[in-house]
Amino acid sequence: MARSCRWTPIGPIGLLEQQHSPNKPVMSGRATAIAVHPTEPDTVYVGTAAGGVWKTTDAGRIWRPLTDREWGPGVGAIALDPSNPARVYVGTGEGNVTRMAFPGEGLLVSDDAGASWASVPLVGINGRTPRVTSMVVAPAGDRVFIATTSGLFERK
């Protein structure tokens, strides 16, 4: 195996780790989604099962929570608009199949790299809010595809 295949934990620290080490400063829950800025590789967004969205701009040395004041802290997916990386899409509702999966309320969208958020509801065919499992933004930023537990959604 190549030396470059060595993995190092960089945070944010998961919920279970926090319970076993109560002096650690960060509590995020399971990491469920990740998005890397297309031109600033030290800027990374991480979505968590119960702790919302976290952001680092220094390759993981310091993490800041971005959605502590928002509803639906369970995150299923994150995507950045390649044509405007300050636009961040967050699909709420953890899509993992587990007894502890957290529900969501639709999408959070930020046009200022996570400083503020607008909520966008998603309603499935059954009238319920689906959990988001994956998102992709087209290179021109004009189409967004959202995979959910209720099927595929598209925004044009």
Side-chain angles (χ1 to χ4, degrees), residues 4-67:
S4 64
C5 292
R6 192 168 174 207
W7 294 90
T8 304
I10 61 171
I13 297 164
L15 205 54
L16 294 176
E17 292 292 325
Q18 179 73 15
Q19 291 170 353
H20 296 296
S21 303
N23 294 327
K24 293 189 178 186
V26 176
M27 189 166 75
S28 63
R30 291 181 298 278
T32 56
I34 187 167
V36 179
H37 193 286
T39 60
E40 299 171 16
D42 287 348
T43 298
V44 180
Y45 297 83
V46 170
T48 64
V53 178
W54 295 75
K55 179 181 179 181
T56 182
T57 57
D58 59 7
R61 284 187 287 284
I62 297 172
W63 291 90
R64 285 190 344 264
L66 299 181
T67 56

Side-chain angles (χ1 to χ4, degrees), residues 5 17-18 20 26 45 47 49 52 54 69 86 89 96 110 116 119-120 134 138 142 146 148 150:
C5 292
E17 292 292 325
Q18 179 73 15
H20 296 296
V26 176
Y45 297 83
W54 295 75
R69 290 181 170 80
Y89 294 92
N96 295 325
S110 175
S116 64
S119 62
V120 179
S134 183
D142 56 342
I146 304 167
T148 77
S150 292

Side-chain angles (χ1 to χ4, degrees), residues 93-148:
E94 182 186 7
N96 295 325
V97 178
T98 173
R99 288 182 300 143
M100 293 180 58
F102 294 92
E105 298 289 332
L107 296 178
L108 294 175
V109 181
S110 175
D111 285 324
D112 53 14
S116 64
W117 299 92
S119 62
V120 179
L122 281 179
V123 180
I125 295 170
N126 59 6
R128 295 184 183 157
T129 301
R131 297 168 190 246
V132 177
T133 58
S134 183
M135 288 191 296
V136 176
V137 182
D142 56 342
R143 296 174 76 188
V144 180
F145 296 93
I146 304 167
T148 77

